[in-house]
Each structure stands twice: as C-alpha cells, then as structure tokens.
C-alpha cells in the first residue's frame, strides 16, 4: 500500500499540482491496477481474497458442509449447548452450502466465510472510500455500529465488487454470489469446526482444548485481552481457518431471534461469539443472545442500537434457484430426496428417536388407509376384496412395527455390550499409562535411548488406543439413545443377567457407568467424552 506523505502538500515550484493532488488523482487508478493484478488466492489454495478500494482486501475461507453433487445434499447439524440453558437447548437442523468446490479431489458443497472480523480499515474503505483518510487502529474490528450499518456496508461492498471485480466473485451456475451476514446456523457450524472435526469435537463447547483457550480467543482477564479490543488475526485460527470466532468482538448474524432457534416468537437479531470482556469459562460456540434493532437514547428518541463490543464478519453465498436448469434439476430430485434424507428433517422429528419417526410414519399410513376407506364408503363402493386388502395392509404395517420393536431390543443389547467392553478397554489402557511413564523416566535417567524410544512409542500407542476406544464408546452411547426407553431397559437387563451369570463384578460396575453416561446424554443431547473418560478411570 502507498504510504501517506502528509508533509508533501505544498505546491511545486513550477505551479503544477502538488504531491497530495497527484496522489488523490492516482489512487483510483492504482486501485484498479491492484484489482487486476492481485491474485485470488492468498496463503493457500482454499483461501479467497476479494479486493476493496484504497488497496484493502478481504479474505474468505471455504466452509465445506457436505460431499456429493446432488442439489439436496444437506447435512444434519446440531446447534446449542445445555450450558446455555433453555435458549440453547440442542436442536438439529439441515444445513447446505452454496458453491460446489473441489476439495482434494472430492466435490463438496461450501460457503465462504470471512477469515477475520471486518476491520476498521475495510469498513471505511467502503463507507468513506477516501484514500487520504487516516484511520486509527485500522486492523482492529469495527465495532459500535448498528445492524443497519452492517447491512449498508455489505450492500455498498457488493455493488463495488460487481462494478470493479465481478470476475473475482464465485458463481453458482450462472449467478454471481453475494456477500451478506451469516445465519446463526452457518456461523455456529463454522465456529464448531465444521466438517474438519470429528463428531465428538463438534459436540464440544469449544473446538480445541479448554486449557489452550488463550491461544485461540481474546476473552476477559489479565491472561488474555485485559478487557480491551484486540487487533484481528494475532492468535491461532480455529479448525476451519477462522480467527477470533469466539472472542474479541461479538458478531451480528442475519438470523432473527427465536427461543428455540426456528420455533417461537420472532424478536431482534441474533449475535454470536462472546467478546473481549467475557469470562474464559463462559466462552462457547453455542452462545447466542438477542439484540434490539433500536434503543432509547439520552434524549428519549429511538436510535439504531450500537454497542462497543459488537462487530461482524461477512459470508458469501448464492441464490438457490439461479436458473431454470437448476430449478428443473431440483424438481426432478425432489421426490427421491423426500423418500430418503428429507423424510427425517421436519422440526418435530429433528431430535426424535428412530422409533418415534417410525411411529409417526406408521400413524400416517393408518390415517391414509382410513381416509381411503372413508372415500370408498362415501362413494358407495362396498367390496369385500378391497376391505380384505386394506385389512392385510394394516396387519402388515403392525407386523413391521413389531419387527422393529424386536430389532430395537436386540440392537440396544448389542450397543450396550459394545459400550461396556470399550469402557473396560479404556479403563485398562489408562491404568497402564503410569507404569509406562515410570519406565520412560528410568530410561531417561540411565540414558538408554533405545528403551526410551520404545517406551515413548508404547505410551503413544496406548494414548491412541484410548482415543479410538473413546470415540467408539461415544458412538455406542449415541446408538443406544436412538432406541425406545423400553428397548434400552430390556437391553440393560439382558446384559446384566449375562454378567451376573458369569460373576463379572467389575464389568457390572462399568455397566453402571454406561447407564449413567447414557442418562447424561439423554438430558443434554451432547457427548462429553473427556468427562466420561475421567469417570471410567478409577
């Protein structure tokens, strides 16, 4: 970027234009040259950089949701955290991307999200577009602006891009993408680590070890922000490459607040992310709160709401129906989608057990049959053959429900058995770690490098085994929870009888831990693998 030589503003000796005047005329031209020469990609091939006036630029990271090139390729994601009380009760919803990208040879549906919170330099490059303006703390997040200011900024930036750098904007089919505020679901999916983390990590309050929070986020206190807003990008990025997601400035979203995410009365706008005044133990991906669009000012007039801790970051998405071709393709895929993945996405079934979903479908089938019977009767059609066939259909549906019930009981028993055996393995492997640590220290004291390396490798293998077993254990708890309480109760009794018959007292104790962890999961709808691991180790 050109430096601002504020001292060279006197006229030239020949009466020509001053240095200041020349720079004022040249800056728009220089900006256009930069737009045409600055590459799209920054430090890595996944990062998209869009130009701005005055030599500024804005970086975006692709947040990939789901693989496959189908137009209904959504991904079921769970938002919320029981630590946030009733406003953050875990809720499932389906999320999709806007652009089909090639990610290491795999087609993925992705959206682009701002790598950093929008800075003061970026904001005033669009709002004022004055190359000579001296901006204080230009690399700090822009705060103390209203939701309407953020929308106005986004609109002006979109129009500037379409006029000056349309070729840089990603497209879906024939339509250019556009910048906007993220929805709450898009924001939280990215904050949790998106598709870059395992299901267990995605369930965690933060997507990195709690003891390393200060390496990733600015929060309140002397070991972090000192209760002051900080320059963007100084700490480590989260698993998808985004900086300062859970701290520094609160972030606005496009979503209007409802208590149950997408159910209830609609209020103000949702903000996410906590800020530089938040206590470290309160930082979490699920944090959400409602903000008003207007507040009463000192003179009793209503003005757009602003806050010194409140900023925003942008997202790039696209139209869902950019052309007739896409519309026709989605129409052709619709029935297949509704028969399969789409059959389980309604809000009423978002966190229901498989048995409940089956029950609902069975109730629907019986309702359709009754409706058919009533229609035939209303038209005076009385056929014993039709009546018999309807009766057979009802009996078949009831048989399917019975078979499903039996299979749930069998599945419950098997998953309880798997969970218990994995819990025993975690316990046994964890008990071996102190001995291996002692052997490592002995090898160090004797300077026996060969044994030292062997013991370190053994320690690493034990840790890997525990981590793998813990993942299987968590998956088993999830699978048990998909069955009816009656089926789960029978499964536990069946396995307890087996253990009692074989006089396996230790495993009975472990089974009680499995039951305890299942109860915790039923209440919170979240895996707490680290807590469970500590609970399993005596």
């Amino acid at each position: 970027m050109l430096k601002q030589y504020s001292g060279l503003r006197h006229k030239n000796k020949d009466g020509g234009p001053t240095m200041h005047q020349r720079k004022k005329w040249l800056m728009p031209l220089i900006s256009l040259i930069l737009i045409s020469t600055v590459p799209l990609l920054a430090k890595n091939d996944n990062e998209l950089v869009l130009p701005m006036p005055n030599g500024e630029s804005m970086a975006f990271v692709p947040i990939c949701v789901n693989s496959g090139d189908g137009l209904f390729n959504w991904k079921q994601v769970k938002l919320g955290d029981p630590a946030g009380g009733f406003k953050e009760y875990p809720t499932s919803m389906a999320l999709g991307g806007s652009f089909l990208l090639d990610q290491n040879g795999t087609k993925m549906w992705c959206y682009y999200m701002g790598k950093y919170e929008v800075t003061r330099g970026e904001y005033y490059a669009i709002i004022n577009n004055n190359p000579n303006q001296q901006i204080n703390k230009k690399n700090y997040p822009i705060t103390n602006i209203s939701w309407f200011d953020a929308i106005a900024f986004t609109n002006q930036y979109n129009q500037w891009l379409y006029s000056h750098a349309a070729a840089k904007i990603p497209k879906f089919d024939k339509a250019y993408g556009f910048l906007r505020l993220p929805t709450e679901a898009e924001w939280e999916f990215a904050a949790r680590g998106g598709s870059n983390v395992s299901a267990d990590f995605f369930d965690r309050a933060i997507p990195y070890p709690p003891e390393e929070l200060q390496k990733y986020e600015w929060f309140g206190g002397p070991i972090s922000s000192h209760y002051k807003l900080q320059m963007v990008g100084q700490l480590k990025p989260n698993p998808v490459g985004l900086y300062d997601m859970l701290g520094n400035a609160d972030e606005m979203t496009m979503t209007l607040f409802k208590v149950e995410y997408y159910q209830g009365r609609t209020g103000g706008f949702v903000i996410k992310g906590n800020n530089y005044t938040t206590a470290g133990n309160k930082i979490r991906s699920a944090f959400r709160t409602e903000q008003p669009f207007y507040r009463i000012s000192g003179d009793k007039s209503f003005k757009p709401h602003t806050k010194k801790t409140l900023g925003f970051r942008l997202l790039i998405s696209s139209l869902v129906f950019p052309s007739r071709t896409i519309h026709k393709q989605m129409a052709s895929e619709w029935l297949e989608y509704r028969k399969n993945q789409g059959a389980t996405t309604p809000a009423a079934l978002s966190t229901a057990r498989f048995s409940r979903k089956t029950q609902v479908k069975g109730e629907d089938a019986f309702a359709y049959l009754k409706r058919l019977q009533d229609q035939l009767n209303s038209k005076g059609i009385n056929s014993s053959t039709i009546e018999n066939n309807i009766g057979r259909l009802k009996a078949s549906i009831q048989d399917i429900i019975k078979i499903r019930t039996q299979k749930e009981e069998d599945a419950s028993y098997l998953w309880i058995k798997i969970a218990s055996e994995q819990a025993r393995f975690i316990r046994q492997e964890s008990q071996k770690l102190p001995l291996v640590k002692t052997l490592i220290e002995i090898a160090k004291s004797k300077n026996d490098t060969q044994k030292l390396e062997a013991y370190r490798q053994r320690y690493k293998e034990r840790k890997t085994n525990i981590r793998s077993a813990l993942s299987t254990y968590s998956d088993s708890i999830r699978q048990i929870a998909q069955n009816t309480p009656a089926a789960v109760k029978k499964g536990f009794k069946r396995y307890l009888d087996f253990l009692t018959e074989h006089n396996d007292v230790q495993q009975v104790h472990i089974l009680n831990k499995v039951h305890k962890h299942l109860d915790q999961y039923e209440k919170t709808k979240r895996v707490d693998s680290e807590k469970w691991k500590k609970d399993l180790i005596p």
Side-chain angles (χ1 to χ4, degrees):
M1 186 183 296
L2 293 178
K3 294 183 179 179
Q4 302 272 345
Y5 293 103
S6 58
L8 300 177
R9 298 193 177 187
H10 52 275
K11 285 188 177 181
N12 290 341
K13 293 180 179 179
D14 60 1
T18 65
M19 177 70 77
H20 175 66
Q21 290 170 328
R22 286 173 179 162
K23 188 166 60 178
K24 185 176 180 180
W25 299 338
L26 286 171
M27 278 304 291
L29 178 59
I30 291 170
S31 292
L32 288 173
I33 293 171
L34 286 171
I35 291 164
S36 62
T37 58
V38 171
L40 257 180
L41 303 177
K43 293 183 180 180
N44 60 66
D45 289 346
N46 292 325
E47 191 174 303
L48 171 68
V49 178
L50 294 179
M52 303 183 83
N54 307 338
E56 295 286 342
S57 62
M58 189 175 290
F60 294 85
V61 174
I63 309 300
C64 295
V65 182
N66 215 14
S67 60
D69 55 5
L71 293 172
F72 287 101
N73 270 31
W74 314 149
K75 185 172 187 175
Q76 290 275 6
V77 298
K78 193 185 295 179
L79 307 184
D81 190 318
F86 70 93
K87 290 191 298 184
E88 294 173 23
Y89 192 80
T91 301
S92 290
M93 56 182 63
L95 183 66
S98 298
F99 308 99
L100 194 59
L101 305 179
D102 188 324
Q103 298 292 92
N104 299 318
T106 301
K107 289 184 176 180
M108 298 282 290
W109 283 102
C110 314
Y111 55 88
Y112 288 94
M113 197 158 187
K115 187 175 181 180
Y116 310 103
E117 293 161 328
V118 175
T119 65
R120 292 172 57 84
E122 292 166 343
Y123 183 81
Y124 289 114
I126 294 296
I127 295 301
N128 289 348
N129 198 6
N130 181 359
N132 298 308
Q133 183 186 31
Q134 297 289 341
I135 300 170
N136 184 35
K137 295 186 176 182
K138 63 179 296 183
N139 291 323
Y140 283 67
I142 182 71
T143 59
N144 215 27
I145 61 170
S146 71
W147 189 87
F148 303 101
D149 292 329
I151 296 298
F153 166 85
T154 307
N155 174 50
Q156 290 185 44
Y157 188 20
N158 273 319
Q159 295 195 44
W160 187 91
L161 284 169
Y162 293 144
S163 299
H164 296 84
K168 309 286 187 183
I169 304 171
K171 295 173 71 174
F172 172 45
D173 193 53
K174 298 178 181 180
Y176 288 101
F178 51 87
L179 285 75
R180 60 169 171 80
L181 293 175
T183 65
E184 181 174 15
E186 290 165 338
W187 193 100
E188 188 168 331
F189 179 75
R192 288 185 175 277
S195 299
N196 290 15
V197 298
S198 66
D200 283 355
F201 266 86
F202 192 88
D203 268 356
R204 295 182 179 187
I206 56 176
Y208 25 74
E211 64 272 16
E212 295 183 11
L213 178 64
Q214 68 269 27
K215 296 179 181 179
Y216 294 85
E217 306 295 349
W218 295 111
F219 54 90
I223 66 169
S224 185
S225 72
H226 293 270
Y227 301 103
K228 293 180 180 179
L229 188 68
Q230 301 293 323
M231 188 167 63
V232 302
Q234 296 184 86
L235 303 179
K236 290 185 177 182
N238 81 348
V240 293
L242 302 174
Y243 289 80
D244 308 315
M245 279 294 282
L246 304 182
N248 214 20
D250 295 309
E251 296 182 20
M252 308 178 198
T253 72
M254 184 65 73
T255 302
L256 300 181
F257 188 88
K258 293 181 180 179
V259 175
E260 292 188 88
Y261 290 92
Y262 54 77
Q263 295 180 160
R265 298 192 303 275
T266 301
F269 62 94
V270 176
I271 66 170
K272 302 283 286 182
N274 294 126
N275 60 65
Y276 59 90
T277 69
T278 307
N281 62 359
K282 300 295 184 182
I283 297 286
R284 60 187 184 276
S285 302
F287 172 79
R288 67 193 299 256
T289 190
E290 179 185 22
Q291 292 290 292
F293 287 103
Y294 299 92
R295 279 199 186 277
I296 301 178
S297 63
D299 61 1
K300 305 300 182 182
S301 63
F302 282 87
K303 293 182 179 179
H305 168 63
T306 62
K307 200 175 180 181
K308 67 178 183 179
T309 59
L310 183 56
F312 69 105
R313 77 177 70 215
L314 293 183
L315 179 142
I316 308 175
S317 67
S318 68
L319 294 173
V320 176
F321 298 116
S323 67
R324 290 183 179 179
T325 302
I326 295 297
H327 189 281
K328 289 180 180 179
Q329 188 177 341
M330 293 187 78
S332 68
E333 294 179 13
W334 174 252
L335 291 178
E336 187 66 20
Y337 163 74
R338 287 294 293 162
K339 288 179 184 177
N340 296 291
Q341 183 184 359
T344 60
T345 54
L349 300 176
S350 63
T351 56
R353 301 173 186 273
F354 290 149
S355 57
R356 172 58 182 156
K357 295 168 186 175
T358 304
Q359 179 186 347
V360 169
K361 294 302 177 184
E363 291 169 353
D364 287 346
F366 283 123
Y368 289 135
L369 287 174
K370 186 178 185 307
R371 193 180 305 165
L372 176 61
Q373 220 167 7
D374 291 343
Q375 288 173 346
L376 291 172
N377 292 335
S378 66
K379 293 183 178 181
I381 301 174
N382 297 309
S383 168
S384 58
T385 302
I386 293 175
E387 288 290 336
N388 287 337
N389 284 333
I390 289 176
R392 290 190 183 98
L393 279 173
K394 288 181 178 179
S396 295
I397 293 169
Q398 289 170 340
D399 287 342
I400 290 171
I401 293 172
K402 288 178 182 177
I403 293 169
R404 172 74 191 186
T405 300
Q406 182 59 52
K407 291 300 180 183
E408 279 195 17
E409 292 175 9
D410 293 339
S412 295
Y413 169 76
L414 289 173
W415 283 115
I416 289 167
K417 190 172 186 291
I418 291 169
S420 298
E421 290 174 351
Q422 290 298 310
R424 186 205 291 264
F425 181 78
I426 292 166
R427 187 187 184 98
Q428 291 173 342
E429 289 293 283
S430 299
Q431 288 173 331
K432 295 173 184 176
L433 288 178
L435 175 59
V436 181
K437 277 186 176 181
T438 301
L439 293 173
I440 289 172
E441 292 304 318
I442 293 172
K444 279 182 181 179
S445 66
K446 293 182 177 181
N447 201 25
D448 190 338
T449 56
Q450 187 174 358
K451 285 187 177 180
L452 179 61
E453 182 59 30
Y455 292 145
R456 281 176 172 169
Q457 183 62 31
R458 190 184 303 178
Y459 186 85
K460 183 179 179 181
E461 288 172 357
R462 297 259 188 264
K463 295 286 284 186
T464 301
N465 291 342
I466 292 169
R467 189 161 51 249
S468 177
L470 192 59
S471 178
T472 303
Y473 180 74
S474 299
D475 286 339
S476 301
I477 295 294
R478 290 191 188 96
Q479 292 297 327
I480 297 168
Q482 292 296 333
N483 300 309
T484 63
V488 172
K489 184 177 181 181
K490 288 183 178 180
F492 271 107
K493 184 179 184 306
R494 182 175 164 187
Y495 190 56
L496 179 61
D497 290 343
F498 172 83
L499 296 176
T500 303
E501 182 182 344
H502 290 79
N503 198 29
D504 194 343
V505 178
Q506 185 186 48
Q507 195 67 358
V508 170
H509 175 72
I510 290 174
L511 182 63
N512 289 332
K513 297 287 186 181
V514 174
H515 207 307
K516 174 186 174 183
H517 296 161
L518 176 64
D519 288 341
Q520 290 173 353
Y521 181 83
E522 292 281 16
K523 290 176 182 176
T524 66
K525 304 300 181 185
R526 287 287 182 198
V527 164
D528 195 347
S529 54
E530 288 300 315
K531 183 179 179 181
W532 294 351
K533 182 177 73 172
K534 291 177 182 177
D535 204 19
L536 293 172
I537 300 171

